Amino acid sequence: MRLRAGIPQDAPALGAILTAWVAETHWMPKLHNPSEDVAFVGRTIASDTVRVALGDDGRPLGFLARSAGYISCLYVASEARGQGTGTCLLAEAKQAADRLCLWTFAQNTGARRFYARNGFAQTGETAGDNAEGLPDVELTWVKGAV
């Protein structure tokens, strides 16, 4: 798997990964249309460090966005889940930082298991202080922590 910096031309493919995740997640409110997801990813590419995982055919399979020690997005296409794509993206982010934090929805048990396997611990929670109105948890990783 190859990782590279996100570029503006990636926004449609990465937006489609985000849109697909929302569509297949039954508990997730559908607040945005696909065009809004593409615009969101485009703004994220312009403002954050975005890394894109590419398949053998050069097609984006997932992406991670971070700003300093905060991960704002980690999405993997359904066909690439469970194959190390997210782990590869996260490992690169961990190499570049001494501490990382992020928020994920409390109901996103798959993500919570993934992050726990990768050394993240819960450090906070809300009852739904977000646009979706869903309870969420803050997860933090610290280099060298057990």
Side-chain angles (χ1 to χ4, degrees), residues 72-134:
S72 59
C73 298
L74 175 51
Y75 291 96
V76 175
S78 59
E79 68 271 16
R81 290 185 203 134
Q83 299 178 27
T85 304
T87 301
C88 187
L89 287 161
L90 190 57
E92 185 184 73
K94 288 165 75 174
Q95 287 178 346
D98 290 332
R99 180 180 188 274
L100 294 169
C101 67
L102 58 92
W103 288 89
T104 192
F105 296 107
Q107 287 178 271
N108 195 348
T109 56
R112 292 176 71 180
R113 284 191 306 269
F114 168 77
Y115 290 119
R117 284 193 309 270
N118 283 280
F120 284 74
Q122 185 171 330
T123 51
E125 63 186 328
T126 76
D129 185 21
N130 51 56
E132 296 80 6
L134 298 174

Side-chain angles (χ1 to χ4, degrees), residues 22-65:
V22 171
E24 66 195 27
T25 305
H26 71 278
W27 48 262
M28 185 70 175
K30 308 329 183 224
L31 301 179
H32 306 286
N33 66 43
S35 295
E36 291 169 325
D37 289 341
V38 170
F40 166 76
V41 172
R43 289 189 304 275
T44 302
I45 290 169
S47 65
D48 294 353
T49 299
V50 175
R51 299 295 289 171
V52 179
L54 301 172
D56 293 336
D57 61 0
R59 187 172 51 90
L61 297 176
F63 68 103
L64 182 145

